[in-house]
Amino acid sequence: MRIFCKLKRHGYGCCGHAIKLKFKEFSKGIGINDASFPLRYELSVLRQLCVALKDNLHQHDDLYCDIAATVVPHVEPYEEKPSLWEAHLTSLRYIHRELCQEKSLTECQKMYGLVRSQLCRLQGEADYKFYLDIHLTHFNGIHLQMQKETLPIAATDQLYYALEAMGVLFDTMRQRKVAKNAALLVQLNDALFSKRGKAFLMYLSALPPESTTKMYDPLLKLLSCSWATPSSELTTQFTEYLGLVLALMQIDMFSIEAPLEQQLALKLLRTRTSLRRTTPSSSSTTMSSCCTCASYGGLQATYIDLCKKFVYFFEHKARRTPKSSGFMDLLVFFQRLQMLLHQSSNKPPLDIFWQQLEGDDSPSCSNEACKSIRRHCLLSFGVCALEAYVNWQPTTEQKSDKAPYKPLLGILGYTLDVAKSMKCLGPSAMS
């Protein structure tokens, strides 16, 4: 590009002025061959900035931000050429990502402010990915630098800006009816929810609700919408959906000021239409009726309601496809949900199930001879039943009623039979 060649000879200071003059000419119709020319010109400038960032090792980051601020506000999508807007978003994402590091945090915040100041324009079905990637990169980048203590506490505002911007994006997606494909949940879970560790989820739970709700509410509304998800993505989306529910449950419970008050997981489970459209098999569609009517009227009421619907699910629906991937995902989900509910009672859970696993987020046994996820889940259900009984505080009248003990004894007997058959716990298990 001739302007940048000229700048290399005469210095970077004149760049902003030269480009401003160019856009003044465009506004008067001078030098425009067609309506896409301003966007093409802006794109050529951004591409040069991408190259300059790489070649000059961040020597002129402040000027690059000024140049971007000169061109970005003057462009909008060109209807006949969606690829141009995608290239525009790709360049913005690259520039922001390159600036999102310790040596250029001031410029990173400046560039992100520029992105936020523009309208969220979704021309193509996949454009949301670029916006979401910028917001997630900013949130995680700023969070990381705050953990390293390279940024002051005041930088927390940047986290709030990113959450709010994600909310604006989700609202825009809902208004534009952008398909809720599996890629959206994968992107969110990888960067923000189920693939993140306990410490990060605790950090999310500690952020003020007046900021987090600006992201959570639009996201839940988006996920509750009824338009179709591609059938080829149902299985992946269902798995990611379950991961998101469990992550939100943990965020609910980690809240110091009011545990379970936000009810994020419950709100997500109540999106019946979304659940029915994302489940991969008919046996799994009843998850909506299993969980969505649960109420946080206290742990006991929630737990009893969940268990009743859980029993209904297995008695009426689970026999159809017991070996499907969707069924196994759901089985593990219910097991994890039970464990989380027990942990929310502030009493130490019986972690027998997890002693043989590689970690809280892994369903695979550390014993190579044991390959049965189902047996581990059944064992855990028995342990949860025992713990529920141990933590039960019956009234005097309830103590005299022996009826509840019979099903408990049956569950524990079956659990012991399962344990004996497991290669990692039974008589033949290696020590």
Side-chain angles (χ1 to χ4, degrees), residues 17-79:
H17 180 68
I19 294 174
K20 283 181 181 178
L21 290 177
K22 201 70 176 175
F23 273 99
K24 279 186 178 180
E25 293 177 359
F26 294 159
S27 66
K28 297 177 182 179
I30 301 174
I32 297 180
N33 297 324
D34 58 62
S36 69
F37 195 78
L39 179 56
R40 293 177 186 275
Y41 180 84
E42 182 257 11
L43 185 55
S44 66
V45 172
L46 292 184
R47 284 171 172 166
Q48 287 294 320
L49 290 180
C50 294
V51 174
L53 272 170
K54 181 180 179 181
D55 292 346
N56 294 295
L57 302 176
H58 297 268
Q59 292 179 25
H60 307 284
D61 288 346
D62 56 338
L63 290 174
Y64 300 153
C65 289
D66 291 340
I67 294 170
T70 302
V71 297
V72 170
H74 295 284
V75 297
E76 58 186 26
Y78 180 58
E79 185 176 354

Side-chain angles (χ1 to χ4, degrees), residues 2 71 74 77 82 117 156 180 182 187 208 217 244 249 271 304 324 346 352 356 390 396 403 422-423:
R2 283 181 290 180
V71 297
H74 295 284
S117 68
T156 305
K180 304 188 306 296
Q187 199 172 355
D217 287 353
L244 176 59
M249 175 68 81
T271 58
I304 292 173
S324 69
N346 294 321
I352 293 177
Q356 291 291 332
V390 170
T396 303
M422 296 175 70
K423 295 183 179 180

Side-chain angles (χ1 to χ4, degrees), residues 142-187:
I142 294 297
H143 171 258
L144 177 62
Q145 296 305 324
M146 291 186 72
Q147 297 298 104
K148 291 182 178 180
E149 299 184 351
T150 58
L151 280 173
I153 295 297
T156 305
D157 286 346
Q158 293 292 317
L159 303 179
Y160 304 156
Y161 296 153
L163 291 174
E164 184 177 357
M166 280 188 266
V168 171
L169 172 61
F170 298 144
D171 273 336
T172 305
M173 292 175 66
R174 179 169 56 86
Q175 293 163 8
R176 290 288 306 276
K177 293 190 175 182
V178 175
K180 304 188 306 296
N181 54 28
L184 170 63
L185 291 177
V186 170
Q187 199 172 355

Side-chain angles (χ1 to χ4, degrees), residues 116-133:
R116 286 182 59 245
S117 68
Q118 307 303 304
L119 291 176
C120 180
R121 294 184 171 101
L122 303 178
Q123 185 176 17
E125 283 288 318
D127 284 354
Y128 77 87
K129 296 179 184 179
F130 301 102
Y131 281 110
L132 185 56
D133 199 28

Side-chain angles (χ1 to χ4, degrees), residues 192-234:
L192 211 59
F193 294 119
S194 68
K195 302 301 192 298
R196 302 302 301 264
K198 179 179 178 180
F200 184 82
L201 295 180
M202 291 182 71
Y203 183 83
L204 282 184
S205 72
L207 295 175
E210 57 266 26
S211 296
T212 56
T213 53
K214 292 180 180 179
M215 183 271 287
Y216 288 133
D217 287 353
L219 174 60
L220 294 174
K221 288 179 182 178
L222 174 64
L223 294 177
S224 70
C225 294
S226 60
W227 55 81
T229 296
S231 57
S232 60
E233 299 181 355
L234 288 177

